[in-house]
Amino acid sequence: MSLKLLISLISLSLLLSPAISGHHHTVKKWCGKTPYAQPCEYFLTNNPKYIKPIKHMTDFFKLSVQLALDRALHAQTHTYKLGSMCRNEREKEAWDDCLELYEYTIHRLNKTVYPTTKKSKDDIQTWLSTALTNLETCREGFEELGVADHVYPLMSNNVSKLISNTLAMNKVPYHAPSYKKGRFPSWVKPGDRKLLQTASSLASVANVVVAQDGSGNFKTIGQAVAAAAAKGGSARFVIYVKAGVYHENVQIKVKNVMLIGDGIGKTIITGSKSVGGGSTTFQSATVAVVGDGFIAQGITIRNTAGAVQQQAVALRVGSDLSVFYQCSFEAYQDTLYVHSLRQFFRECDIYGTVDFIFGNSAVVFQNCNIYARSPPNKTNTLTAQGRTDPNQNTGISIHNCKVTAAPDLVPVQSTVNTYLGRPWQMYSRTVFMNTFLDSLINPTGWMPWNGNFALTVVGDGFIAQGITIRNTAGAVQQQAVALRVGSDLSVFYQCSFEAYQDTLYVHSLRQFFRECDIYGTVDFIFGNSAVVFQNCNIYARSPPNKTNTLTAQGRTDPNQNTGISIHNCKVTAAPDLVPVQSTVNTYLGRPWQMYSRTVFMNTFLDSLINPTGWMPWNGNFALSTLYYGEYMNTGPGSSTAGRVKWPGYHVITSATVASQFTVGSFISGNSWLPTTKVPFTPGL
């Protein structure tokens, strides 16, 4: 008997053993309690490494964090290999960010996993929240530099979903820090508290002194930080920076560094990187701090790129348990990037225009001055909080502060709308408490991000009937969702969804749409649910760039049971498209992700459909891994003779194959739709 055959027989016997079968059953039960059951179940049942006893939630949580760590390590290796595919410096810049962010993600997951690390449930939730934030920041870099169409789709993985699962299991709400004598959080150590309250003899307590005139140990802050890294250890390392203007970009990765200056406006660190200048927001920071336990006092940090250079960060903070006392942060858009972890700002000044306090940390601002400057587009937003998961223990708390107009805004204040904030991400969380808000604040208080998420549905079993949901942001405002659905076993009956790009976000889980109208231009039915549209009208509108795509399905893993099934529907031109239809290319869809899956069955396709039927996302991306199918469609746009010749495109001729995408098979409709009283056809 050959060795290969012997190994195969042993593997088969293991798979068929009662122990393995029992493990699969246990994993399925526990994974069913998570937001993303499919990747959880797939990975935990397909690798012998994870065959371990699961008796309690703690056992399952430890196994799930280990899985997230393993997949993050795998994703990091894969991302590194993609570097040679970067087409230009902007794409390389975003890719570099992702490598750095994966490093930080793995560090936080390792802290969570290591049994010797002293940690509370609050610590764990903070670190997991940060791990998820890092991966979101990776994505944002590609998007803001306009290069999200080539390398980034190849980085697609399930790590974010696996981390979200662990957040849901640990599920600790944010707890506000307690304060000693009302000044600093209780987690500030007594020795550090004493340093912060000592206004004299700064040089005498410093490990090193930075002075431009040569009177210190170093002439640049970067040299002093390098000295701290070389010294190592966990003791507090104090760097005293004498008065002066230091033109440098500083990154501090060392733990327990304290940076002390001679006061606001005296010790100044300044840089000028920006998104307009080719940097990502993440890398535009004049000062970036990721070493835990960082403290700064008496320093001004500026980004002088200017208002027209878009995002240009003065300070970025990803340091846990960090403190900023009597400091000033000055820029325009995105001044202060409170990126992640736990932070505290006291008696600081923050100047900016758009989203100038933003990020996804758990941060408190206390006794601070917030100054809105004069913006180029007549709109200011103080905050943009970035919580992407409802279980992240993050948010921006502004307490006992003062919000006023900066000197350059005062003479034009009546012509500028200044808002307290806008929602950068889906679960954005910001509060203003006991704070003085001057007359510059618009009476409405808050501003939407981009039109409205007019309706967001995440509670399972949702049903809607006879409702129109619109997003009126307009075609030129890019993505603007009317409805987002992450509700399992949800039904929409005789409803209408109206927008332009990204009208209907069928985000996840199982969904059914019957006798609905959907209007849009680009990718206007998109997401990664298992969804069937039946007896619906799909109307393509007139797009600004002369190209429409009806669908953009987002399956990232070949084992996900997701896809878009459009059955017995009607695809026609909306009234605004009819007079210009001959000048517009309208396609059935394009592959948003690697394993995109969409089928049109028994559907009327009018003459607006381009003869090729489908549009690539970018070059050859996903053309051999997608699944696009057409079955028994009718109408002038239904001919498959001129369709694309991609390996993943299928003209379905078998009723048996087509039946896999019906209500009865694809979303198991027979088991749950009858109780909704909504009519449905279970088969073809």
Side-chain angles (χ1 to χ4, degrees), residues 532-586:
V532 176
F533 294 86
Q534 200 171 79
N535 296 54
C536 293
N537 296 305
I538 299 172
Y539 296 104
R541 306 178 81 166
S542 179
N545 67 349
K546 302 300 182 184
T547 301
N548 282 328
T549 45
L550 309 189
T551 66
Q553 205 279 328
R555 196 164 64 133
T556 60
D557 187 290
N559 298 296
Q560 287 180 305
N561 60 348
T562 55
I564 295 172
S565 174
I566 296 175
H567 179 215
N568 200 33
C569 294
K570 190 175 181 181
V571 177
T572 56
D576 64 335
L577 178 60
V578 171
V580 295
Q581 180 178 312
S582 62
T583 67
V584 173
N585 287 307
T586 298

Side-chain angles (χ1 to χ4, degrees), residues 517-631:
D517 297 340
I518 306 108
Y519 293 79
T521 54
V522 178
D523 307 336
F524 65 97
I525 301 172
F526 77 108
N528 195 25
S529 63
V531 58
V532 176
F533 294 86
Q534 200 171 79
N535 296 54
C536 293
N537 296 305
I538 299 172
Y539 296 104
R541 306 178 81 166
S542 179
N545 67 349
K546 302 300 182 184
T547 301
N548 282 328
T549 45
L550 309 189
T551 66
Q553 205 279 328
R555 196 164 64 133
T556 60
D557 187 290
N559 298 296
Q560 287 180 305
N561 60 348
T562 55
I564 295 172
S565 174
I566 296 175
H567 179 215
N568 200 33
C569 294
K570 190 175 181 181
V571 177
T572 56
D576 64 335
L577 178 60
V578 171
V580 295
Q581 180 178 312
S582 62
T583 67
V584 173
N585 287 307
T586 298
Y587 300 91
L588 298 174
R590 59 177 182 158
W592 181 27
Q593 298 291 354
M594 184 67 70
Y595 299 98
S596 184
R597 178 161 63 176
T598 302
V599 296
F600 285 76
M601 307 190 299
N602 299 121
T603 288
F604 176 84
L605 305 177
D606 212 350
S607 57
L608 73 162
I609 300 300
N610 186 287
T612 60
W614 306 82
M615 177 182 173
W617 187 270
N618 183 46
N620 293 322
F621 169 70
L623 301 189
S624 60
T625 52
L626 59 78
Y627 185 100
Y628 285 165
E630 296 182 57
Y631 175 76

Side-chain angles (χ1 to χ4, degrees), residues 327-345:
C327 292
S328 181
F329 313 102
E330 304 170 10
Y332 290 87
Q333 183 173 349
D334 289 8
T335 302
L336 179 52
Y337 194 173
V338 286
H339 181 267
S340 53
L341 298 162
R342 291 164 288 193
Q343 308 174 20
F344 179 67
F345 291 75

